[in-house]
C-alpha cells in the first residue's frame, strides 16, 4: 500500500490504551479533569516559552547558511575569483563531506562551509525529535511550523540585516563588507547557542525545572498519545536503525522530502532572483523580505488547519501547486510586477514543506529509538537535494535572466 493511501491511518492514535476510558479516573491524580486542563495549559506555556529559543537558533542557522547569496551581490565572487560552477559548489559543500581542490582562496571558503555543515548536521532532526518528546500529534504540526518559520524568517530578516551590513561596512578596519557579514552573523549565532544550553528542556523524565506534578502530566500526555510510554520501550539504537531502514515508508518519505528540497533550492539564490527585477543591491535585498514574511503567515495558517482537521496530504499538495504556478509565471514573463508576485507564490511552497515534516513526525511516533533514527535518516537523505539543488538553481532560467 502506498504512503498516500495510508495518510489517514498513519496519524490515528492507537485505539488500545493502558489507561481507563473514563476521563475523571484518568485525571484523578491531577485533581480531576478541570484541574488537569489548567495544569496542562501551564505546562505547555512553560515548554513553549523555553522551546522558543530554537526559533532564534534556526533563524541564525539559516542566516549563516544563506549569507553567501547576499554576499554574492557585494563582491564575494570577485574577491575570491570564483568562476563557472564554483559558487554553486561553495553552496553545496555545506551538505557533503568532500572538498574540491581549485585555488587557495576557494579552498578556504570550501573548508569554512564544510565545517559549518558538519557542526549543524544534528540541529534540525534533533529539534524535531525533542518536539516529538513533548507534544502530542495534534500539537506537533503547529509547533513544527513555528520552528520552521525560523528558517523562513531568516530569509526575510537575513536579507534586511545583510542590506545594512553590506551597505555600511565596506572597508571598515580594512575588510570587505561581505567579510563583516560573516563576522557579525557568526558572532550572533555563537552567543544565542551558548544561551540555549541553559534554556532548552531535556526530556520529560529528567527536566529539572518541572514540578513533580508537571513531570507526571508531561509523561502521561505522551503515553496517552501513543498508547505506550517511552520508558517501556527498551530497543537499542541498533534495533532502531534496523526498524528504520526496513520500513518502506521511510524511503518513500525520504524521496518525497528530497524532491521538495530540490524544488526549494531557489532559496539560496533568492537575492539573485530579486536582483533580476532591475533594482539596486540594497533595494534587491530589501525586496527579499516581504515574500518570506507572507510565507510565515501562510505556514502558520496551513499547519494549524492541518492539525485541526487531522489531514496532511491535501494541505501539502495545495501549497506545492501554488508554488508550481509561481515558477510558471517567473519563467513566462519579464513583467516586473508579475515576477515579484511569482516570488511570493514560490516562497509559500515552504508551507507545504513544513506540513510534510509534521507528517513525517506523526508517521513514526514509537518506538523512540526508531523515531530518532528515522528523523535523522530522512533529514540526512534529503540533503542530497541541496547538493543537486545548488547546481539546478544555478543553471535555471530564473537565474540566467
Amino acid at each position: 500500500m502506498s504512503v498516500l493511501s495510508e495518510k489517514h491511518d498513519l496519524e490515528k492514535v492507537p485505539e488500545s490504551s493502558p489507561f481507563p476510558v473514563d476521563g475523571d479516573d484518568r485525571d484523578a491524580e491531577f485533581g480531576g479533569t478541570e484541574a488537569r486542563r489548567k495544569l496542562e495549559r501551564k505546562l505547555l506555556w512553560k515548554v513553549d516559552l523555553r522551546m522558543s529559543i530554537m526559533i532564534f537558533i534556526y533563524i541564525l542557522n539559516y542566516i549563516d547558511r544563506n549569507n553567501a547569496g547576499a554576499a554574492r551581490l557585494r563582491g564575494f565572487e570577485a574577491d575570491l575569483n570564483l568562476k563557472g560552477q564554483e559558487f554553486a559548489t561553495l553552496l553545496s559543500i555545506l551538505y557533503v563531506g568532500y572538498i574540491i581542490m581549485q585555488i587557495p582562496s576557494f579552498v578556504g571558503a570550501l573548508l569554512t562551509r564544510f565545517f559549518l555543515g558538519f557542526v549543524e548536521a544534528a540541529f534540525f532532526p534533533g529539534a524535531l525529535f525533542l518536539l516529538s518528546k513533548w507534544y502530542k500529534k495534534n500539537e506537533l504540526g503547529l509547533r513544527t511550523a513555528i520552528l520552521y518559520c525560523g528558517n523562513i524568517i531568516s530569509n526575510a530578516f537575513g536579507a534586511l540585516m545583510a542590506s545594512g551590513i553590506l551597505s555600511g561596512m565596506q572597508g571598515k578596519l580594512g575588510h570587505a563588507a561581505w567579510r563583516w557579514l560573516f563576522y557579525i552573523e557568526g558572532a550572533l549565532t555563537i552567543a544565542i547557542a551558548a544561551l540555549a544550553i541553559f534554556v532548552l528542556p531535556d526530556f520529560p523524565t529528567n527536566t529539572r525545572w518541572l514540578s513533580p506534578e508537571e513531570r507526571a502530566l508531561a509523561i502521561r500526555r505522551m503515553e496517552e498519545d501513543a498508547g505506550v510510554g517511552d520508558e517501556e520501550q527498551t530497543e537499542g539504537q541498533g534495533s532502531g536503525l534496523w526498524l528504520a531502514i526496513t520500513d518502506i515508508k521511510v524511503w518513500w518519505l525520504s524521496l518525497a522530502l528530497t524532491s521538495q528540497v530540490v524544488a526549494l533550492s531557489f532559496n539560496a539564490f533568492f537575492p539573485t532572483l530579486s536582483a533580476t527585477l532591475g533594482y539596486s543591491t540594497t533595494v534587491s535585498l530589501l525586496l527579499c523580505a516581504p515574500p518570506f514574511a507572507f510565507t510565515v503567515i501562510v505556514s502558520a495558517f496551513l499547519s494549524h488547519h492541518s492539525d485541526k482537521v487531522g489531514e496532511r496530504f491535501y494541505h501539502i499538495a495545495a501549497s506545492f501547486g501554488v508554488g508550481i504556478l509561481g515558477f510558471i509565471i517567473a519563467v513566462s514573463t519579464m513583467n516586473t510586477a508579475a515576477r515579484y508576485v511569482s516570488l511570493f507564490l514560490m516562497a509559500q511552497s515552504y508551507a507545504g514543506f513544513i506540513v510534510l515534516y509534521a507528517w513525517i513526525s506523526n508517521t513514526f511516533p514509537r518506538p523512540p529509538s526508531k523515531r530518532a533514527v528515522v528523523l535523522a535518516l530522512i533529514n540526512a537523505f534529503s540533503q542530497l537535494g541541496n547538493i543537486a539543488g545548488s547546481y539546478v538553481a544555478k543553471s535555471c532560467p530564473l537565474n540566467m535572466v
Side-chain angles (χ1 to χ4, degrees), residues 34-262:
E34 188 57 36
R36 170 177 167 156
R37 231 181 250 121
K38 291 180 180 178
L39 181 64
E40 196 162 4
R41 281 198 297 268
K42 180 183 176 184
L43 171 65
L44 287 175
W45 171 253
K46 290 173 72 171
V47 175
D48 285 343
L49 194 61
R50 286 180 174 265
M51 289 287 194
S52 64
I53 196 170
M54 288 202 296
I55 302 171
F56 296 101
I57 296 174
Y58 209 27
I59 289 172
L60 293 169
N61 177 293
Y62 262 81
I63 284 177
D64 290 343
R65 291 190 191 192
N66 295 332
N67 52 17
R72 187 188 189 196
L73 301 182
R74 276 289 184 172
F76 181 71
E77 284 184 294
D79 289 354
L80 295 186
N81 196 27
L82 302 184
K83 300 182 181 68
Q85 294 290 337
E86 289 181 347
F87 182 76
T89 302
L90 193 65
L91 295 178
S92 68
I93 198 66
L94 183 76
Y95 307 99
V96 296
Y98 66 83
I99 297 176
I100 302 174
M101 300 297 291
Q102 296 287 333
I103 56 176
S105 57
F106 181 41
V107 171
L110 279 174
L111 282 168
T112 300
R113 285 186 64 83
F114 169 75
F115 285 111
L116 177 64
F118 192 81
V119 298
E120 287 182 353
F123 173 72
F124 191 64
L128 289 179
F129 181 65
L130 185 59
L131 289 175
S132 71
K133 296 285 283 188
W134 286 93
Y135 297 107
K136 299 190 292 186
K137 290 180 182 179
N138 64 345
E139 300 165 345
L140 197 56
L142 181 59
R143 266 71 177 193
T144 301
I146 292 172
L147 171 64
Y148 206 86
C149 279
N151 176 350
I152 299 169
I153 292 170
S154 74
N155 291 286
F157 181 67
L160 295 175
M161 207 171 151
S163 67
I165 295 171
L166 293 175
S167 63
M169 297 300 290
Q170 180 64 33
K172 300 294 183 183
L173 300 180
H175 295 299
W178 64 264
R179 294 185 184 274
W180 280 110
L181 181 67
F182 295 147
Y183 297 155
I184 294 171
E185 292 180 351
L188 283 173
T189 303
I190 293 171
I192 295 295
L195 180 62
I197 296 172
F198 306 99
V199 174
L200 277 176
D202 202 339
F203 297 139
T205 54
N206 59 359
T207 295
R208 288 176 291 181
W209 43 262
L210 291 178
S211 68
E213 194 176 32
E214 289 171 338
R215 179 175 294 106
L217 179 57
I219 295 170
R220 174 65 65 83
R221 277 165 37 86
M222 302 315 297
E223 290 174 341
E224 291 173 348
D225 192 47
V228 65
D230 281 358
E231 68 281 357
E232 297 176 33
Q233 308 215 358
T234 57
E235 294 88 347
Q237 288 302 315
S239 176
L241 176 61
W242 178 251
L243 289 171
I245 64 176
T246 55
D247 190 335
I248 188 62
K249 295 191 296 294
V250 172
W251 300 108
W252 271 111
L253 289 169
S254 295
L255 181 60
L257 193 65
T258 303
S259 301
Q260 189 57 20
V261 167
V262 174

Side-chain angles (χ1 to χ4, degrees), residues 296-336:
V296 170
I297 297 171
V298 175
S299 299
F301 170 78
L302 197 70
S303 296
H304 176 68
H305 190 265
S306 176
D307 276 351
K308 185 176 179 181
V309 302
E311 194 282 325
R312 304 292 189 203
F313 171 74
Y314 293 110
H315 289 76
I316 296 169
S319 175
F320 291 173
V322 173
I324 291 171
L325 177 62
F327 287 121
I328 293 172
I329 294 173
V331 300
S332 300
T333 180
M334 289 301 297
N335 180 273
T336 300

